[in-house]
Amino acid sequence: MTDGLERLKVLINSSTPIVVMETSEEMHAISMVRTACSQLNMATFEWSIADGLLRSGTNAPPEGDKISLQARIDQNTIWNQTGRSETPTRTALSPGAGEGNRLARSVASSMGTDGAAAASGTAIYNTREPVQALANMESMTVEAVFILKDFHRHMDDPVVVRRLRDVGQKFAANRRTVVITAPELTVPAELTTLVEYFDLPLPDCDRLHEIIHDTFTRLSKTYTLKLQLDAAGVDAMSANLRGLTEEEAERAISQALVTRYALCPETVTDVLDAKKQLLRHSGMLEFVEASDTMAAVGGLENLKHWLGQRRGAWEDAAREFGLEPPRGMIILGVQGCGKSLCARAVAGEWKLPLVKFDTSAVYDKYIGETEKRIRKVFQVAEGLAPCVLWIDELEKVFAGSGPDSASADAGVSSRLLASFLSWMQDRKAPVFVAATCNNVTVLPPELIRKGRFDELFFVDLPNQTERKQIFSIQLTRRKRNPADFDLEKVAAAAKGYSGAEIDAAVQGGLYAAYSEKKQLSTQSLLDALAQTVPLSVTRAEEIATLREWARTRAVPASAQDGGSAAR
């Protein structure tokens, strides 16, 4: 939060006339503005259509008065007290503070009788209508920040836009700023040169510690809660909350505390489940359980070796060694050969969170909204870092980003590609992008070059050795001993079959054996294979073309096993 607060203070101090904060977390946004104004010794005014324009105080305590979560844990008897009264913290703008009185008098002198109303916390007369409120703001001379709530509902009024433009032009020469908070806002062309955008930062671990403490303290006044979590447990809970906004994190903590009536080890898992639900409801990212590891993937030794070399490269020790975190990889190959399984297994192997990017949900019918959605995805992914971001079927996202895309989708695909490329190039957070692709030829060349992704792997149909491994893995999953089967024979019979087709053959053999009241045997597997026409036959030409393209352009994911004749 500190970096975001400093950025906001710079915007205010540099006389930025209009700052737009697109967020549904209005209380968080207002609290940050109040904190910034408190540290800058500036007055804060708030406007809403319900109340009009009034002067507000600040909820921000001085840094020295904040009590760390560790201190609270060390004094956990205090946490269990209920109904505890706390002395309100006095700040520079609190009633009774010298600076607050000075600013109040300044407001009053600049506005006459209306200023007295503002200083006392009541609305200034005749400011409920946005035009009148802007007129009053323009006439004020006090250095202040004016927060306009839900102002997006009035931006289609030309009079409001004109008045806001006048205010912005005047504020540009003074130490005054308008902050507009709204869930979504389309800025008119007349105001674009006056506007700066500010995105609320996601809370870091220190801020999440504070939210856990504040939420526990607040709920302890209503419920009898027990503190059964040590400092390591609180650290784990904070890690599970990363990627959520402040309000989402507080909601997840509150639900866990009220469910358990305690801050206990079970609440650490509870908040992770709540985070999965919140990400799923966002419609763009899905938290995926990464239970598989690369041991569950048959073959692909080159890919496994490459991933093994990069394990832990996001840790502090690797950074001190001079390493940068790996950026990502594209897994290209024949359908059904385990590309998606590999992407999932990377997170399980590295023991990192795995989030799946829903490529269909990012597109919006309104111009400009798609770009906002993709920025939100990047922000959440960086908040979860270190993590693995899984993009399935990459070509479906960027295939339409060529020179002619403007006529097809108003250039949305091109702008989406530009945003993605910029993020891939400039991001600092350790987010490993695991992308899968069936047809790399439709992807723009600037996407697959080195520097964006670390490597492009080609997953071919499994060779003899890999087919034996796949049969062994699938039989073990189904509670069968691979030693009871002639794996050499069934693997040879499965020549040209993908991993998914081998899985289906094992499943088909089990169905047949169960219906005939027999045990699964080598012959059952051979019969199931004989009844299947593999993709290598039905799509032989396409697979041959893909192999030829990848022969000199991609790294084989599999080690050589007798050449292509063994495929």
Side-chain angles (χ1 to χ4, degrees):
M1 179 177 174
T2 304
D3 293 340
L5 182 61
E6 292 302 317
R7 163 71 175 157
L8 182 59
K9 287 165 62 177
V10 168
L11 292 175
I12 295 173
N13 245 347
S14 59
S15 299
T16 303
I18 302 174
V19 175
V20 172
M21 303 174 72
E22 285 188 301
T23 177
S24 57
E25 295 195 310
E26 184 180 85
M27 294 303 298
H28 178 201
I30 293 174
S31 175
M32 181 173 282
V33 174
R34 289 177 177 177
T35 302
C37 290
S38 173
Q39 296 182 9
L40 295 173
N41 288 332
M42 296 178 67
T44 310
F45 288 82
E46 298 177 21
W47 177 89
S48 71
I49 192 68
D51 299 325
L53 186 66
L54 54 86
R55 182 173 180 271
S56 62
T58 177
N59 295 329
E63 293 295 328
D65 292 346
K66 290 185 178 179
I67 302 176
S68 68
L69 184 61
Q70 183 61 52
R72 291 294 187 182
I73 293 174
D74 294 340
Q75 305 170 5
N76 58 3
T77 54
I78 298 177
W79 280 54
N80 292 323
Q81 294 178 0
T82 57
R84 180 164 54 93
S85 62
E86 298 182 0
T87 303
T89 304
R90 290 178 57 169
T91 66
L93 294 182
S94 298
E99 183 64 22
N101 288 336
R102 184 189 69 79
L103 287 172
R105 289 192 299 270
S106 177
V107 173
S109 63
S110 66
M111 297 187 59
T113 56
D114 287 342
S120 65
T122 58
I124 300 173
Y125 176 73
N126 196 26
T127 57
R128 285 186 57 181
E129 292 300 320
V131 173
Q132 293 297 328
L134 291 170
N136 275 275
M137 289 161 48
E138 188 177 6
S139 66
M140 297 169 72
T141 58
V142 64
E143 293 181 347
V145 173
F146 301 87
I147 305 172
L148 307 182
K149 305 176 186 177
D150 296 330
F151 211 68
H152 62 294
R153 296 189 175 276
H154 310 285
M155 296 296 279
D156 56 351
D157 186 339
V159 179
V160 172
V161 173
R162 177 66 257 181
R163 181 65 77 176
L164 183 57
R165 189 178 185 183
D166 292 338
V167 170
Q169 291 171 344
K170 188 171 183 178
F171 281 14
N174 300 280
R175 196 165 173 249
R176 288 178 287 171
T177 297
V178 174
V179 176
I180 300 177
T181 65
E184 295 178 351
L185 180 65
T186 301
V187 177
E190 305 95 298
L191 302 176
T192 52
T193 58
L194 300 172
V195 168
E196 287 279 356
Y197 289 88
F198 179 82
D199 295 325
L200 285 181
L202 293 175
D204 56 16
C205 284
D206 291 337
R207 176 57 184 151
L208 288 170
H209 275 68
E210 294 178 5
I211 295 174
I212 295 172
H213 161 255
D214 294 342
T215 305
F216 186 94
T217 302
R218 175 174 56 83
L219 291 178
S220 294
K221 298 176 181 180
T222 306
Y223 306 98
T224 302
L225 303 180
K226 299 178 181 179
L227 177 62
Q228 301 172 343
L229 203 61
D230 58 10
V234 175
D235 289 340
M237 178 179 264
S238 298
N240 285 348
L241 290 167
R242 292 181 64 180
L244 297 181
T245 64
E246 290 201 5
E247 290 185 5
E248 289 172 341
E250 183 177 350
R251 196 180 316 139
I253 297 166
S254 298
Q255 292 173 1
L257 291 175
V258 172
T259 300
R260 305 284 182 180
Y261 287 98
L263 187 62
C264 56
E266 289 77 12
T267 57
V268 177
T269 306
D270 291 343
V271 296
L272 181 60
D273 293 336
K275 181 170 79 170
K276 293 177 182 178
Q277 292 295 327
L278 288 167
L279 289 178
R280 188 175 296 114
H281 292 158
S282 71
M284 292 177 291
L285 288 176
E286 179 183 358
F287 201 99
V288 180
E289 194 70 36
S291 56
D292 293 325
T293 65
M294 293 307 293
V297 181
L300 309 184
E301 298 304 325
N302 291 344
L303 175 58
K304 291 178 179 178
H305 177 71
W306 187 87
L307 291 170
Q309 287 183 327
R310 285 153 181 79
R311 184 200 304 268
W314 54 87
E315 297 173 353
D316 292 338
R319 189 177 297 108
E320 293 176 1
F321 189 74
L323 288 175
E324 293 183 358
R327 292 183 174 275
M329 64 180 180
I330 297 179
I331 307 177
L332 160 73
V334 182
Q335 294 180 6
C337 287
K339 300 186 297 297
S340 298
L341 176 61
C342 287
R344 295 196 304 270
V346 170
E349 186 75 13
W350 288 352
K351 294 180 172 53
L352 294 179
L354 175 64
V355 286
K356 182 180 180 182
F357 176 26
D358 187 353
T359 55
S360 62
V362 74
Y363 286 94
D364 194 276
K365 63 182 178 179
Y366 297 109
I367 295 177
E369 293 304 311
T370 298
E371 293 86 335
K372 293 178 184 178
R373 285 171 175 261
I374 196 72
R375 287 197 297 269
K376 177 66 174 176
V377 169
F378 298 154
Q379 184 187 32
V380 173
E382 291 185 5
L384 291 169
C387 69
V388 176
L389 178 63
W390 172 24
I391 305 178
D392 205 17
E393 298 183 333
L394 187 66
E395 71 273 17
K396 292 186 177 179
V397 187
F398 301 114
S401 57
D404 299 329
S405 66
S407 60
D409 60 3
V412 172
S413 297
S414 296
R415 294 194 298 273
L416 189 63
L417 174 64
S419 298
F420 184 73
L421 292 178
S422 177
W423 177 73
M424 287 289 292
Q425 186 74 30
D426 301 333
R427 76 180 187 276
K428 303 299 182 184
V431 178
F432 184 84
V433 180
T436 67
C437 180
N438 293 319
N439 185 9
V440 74
T441 59
V442 301
L443 291 178
E446 61 268 29
L447 178 62
I448 60 178
R449 74 163 177 83
K450 288 294 183 70
R452 300 287 168 45
F453 288 92
D454 295 323
E455 200 57 86
L456 172 63
F457 285 98
F458 175 64
V459 180
D460 203 347
L461 292 169
N463 57 37
Q464 176 73 5
T465 302
E466 291 172 334
R467 291 195 295 271
K468 288 171 60 178
Q469 293 180 17
I470 295 171
F471 271 111
S472 178
I473 291 171
Q474 297 300 336
L475 290 170
T476 303
R477 284 181 54 200
R478 292 167 173 83
K479 303 177 181 178
R480 299 298 190 276
N481 184 3
D484 296 337
F485 299 83
D486 188 346
L487 296 183
E488 195 75 34
K489 187 175 183 180
V490 294
K495 180 181 177 181
Y497 284 66
S498 68
E501 290 166 341
I502 292 174
D503 183 12
V506 174
Q507 187 71 15
L510 281 169
Y511 278 125
Y514 181 78
S515 65
E516 296 172 4
K517 309 301 180 185
K518 297 179 181 179
Q519 285 297 323
L520 183 67
S521 63
T522 299
Q523 189 58 46
S524 302
L525 297 176
L526 294 173
D527 292 342
L529 288 169
Q531 296 173 7
T532 303
V533 179
L535 195 67
S536 60
V537 175
T538 58
R539 310 295 289 270
E541 295 80 6
E542 294 180 16
I543 293 176
T545 302
L546 184 59
R547 282 176 172 169
E548 182 60 28
W549 186 94
R551 187 171 59 85
T552 57
R553 297 177 175 90
V555 176
S558 303
Q560 292 297 320
D561 182 44
S564 59
R567 297 287 175 185

